[in-house]
Amino acid sequence: MNDTPTADTPEDLREDQAPEVEETSADSHSNGGDRLQRLEEEGDFAADYLEELMDIADLDGDIDIDVDGDRASVEIRGADELTALNEPKGELLEALQELTRLAVQARTGQRSRLMLDIGGFRANHRSELEELAEKAVEQAKNGTIPVPLRPMNPFERKVVHDVAKRAGLRSESDGEGGTRHVVIYPHD
């Protein structure tokens, strides 16, 4: 079996498991500076969109733009009302991220893999997920049966897959829709 998790559904493709796209001859002639400029532009478009939304909703907050690897990264900081609305599960974050990606796509004509964070929620959540995944990895390493985790969204599953891979274990996503979860397998 394959050690790398695969994106089986359109839901998986929305997050961190976007399919690889073959380079065209025009892409192969562009350099890293062009890619960086494109990602910075995505971040700027996202920030403009989010600032407009926050103005309409009369919400305060600052927007930080960065490039993280192969994607634009935008964080809304100091937006206490928005942060409170996002707790405890980050559903507002997921919805705003999807809307922002669509707004960026409308401006650029390209699918965006932009990551949004609100008040450090995603970063904190990632740390919690990594701890959960590390416990499951230890359980799998010390046992003989696969270790299933709770249902997770695509971002959460990606974090768990990454932890399992770093530990040298195989993991797969299983289930559909709201029951989709990660299973970590002991050494073969």
Side-chain angles (χ1 to χ4, degrees):
M1 289 197 147
N2 187 350
D3 288 345
T4 305
T6 58
D8 303 331
T9 67
E11 176 186 56
D12 288 332
L13 296 178
R14 282 197 320 245
E15 278 297 324
D16 294 337
Q17 298 176 354
E20 294 296 318
V21 177
E22 248 183 76
E23 281 189 353
T24 64
S25 59
D27 291 337
S28 63
H29 293 294
S30 63
N31 61 32
D34 291 341
R35 181 189 64 79
L36 181 61
Q37 182 179 355
R38 181 182 52 80
L39 293 174
E40 288 173 345
E41 188 175 80
E42 275 190 29
D44 288 339
F45 291 152
D48 290 346
Y49 175 77
L50 289 166
E51 284 175 355
E52 190 174 326
L53 272 180
M54 290 171 60
D55 284 346
I56 291 169
D58 197 28
L59 296 170
D60 293 326
D62 297 316
I63 298 178
D64 293 334
I65 306 166
D66 198 4
V67 173
D68 185 12
D70 63 346
R71 64 178 68 210
S73 175
V74 177
E75 182 174 3
I76 302 172
R77 295 182 184 268
D80 296 335
E81 293 170 319
L82 205 55
T83 301
L85 290 171
N86 189 50
E87 297 291 336
K89 295 182 180 181
E91 292 158 329
L92 176 64
L93 170 63
E94 295 302 323
L96 274 180
Q97 177 175 273
E98 192 63 28
L99 287 172
T100 305
R101 284 178 173 177
L102 290 170
V104 169
Q105 181 176 345
R107 294 274 309 264
T108 65
Q110 302 275 328
R111 181 181 175 278
S112 174
R113 295 184 63 231
L114 174 124
M115 290 296 285
L116 176 64
D117 200 357
I118 298 173
F121 178 87
R122 191 177 299 277
N124 293 337
H125 191 51
R126 177 185 295 271
S127 295
E128 293 168 359
L129 286 167
E130 287 175 342
E131 287 179 29
L132 174 71
E134 287 167 4
K135 289 177 185 174
V137 161
E138 283 306 309
Q139 188 178 350
K141 281 183 175 180
N142 296 326
T144 58
I145 60 172
V147 178
L149 283 86
R150 65 172 172 75
M152 297 179 177
N153 67 36
F155 166 77
E156 294 169 328
R157 291 194 307 271
K158 171 73 166 97
V159 171
V160 173
H161 285 304
D162 289 346
V163 170
K165 184 176 182 178
R166 281 194 307 265
L169 295 182
R170 179 173 59 91
S171 63
E172 294 179 3
S173 291
D174 191 25
E176 295 182 21
T179 66
R180 194 143 174 87
H181 62 281
V182 176
V183 178
I184 301 175
Y185 292 89
H187 287 289
D188 294 327

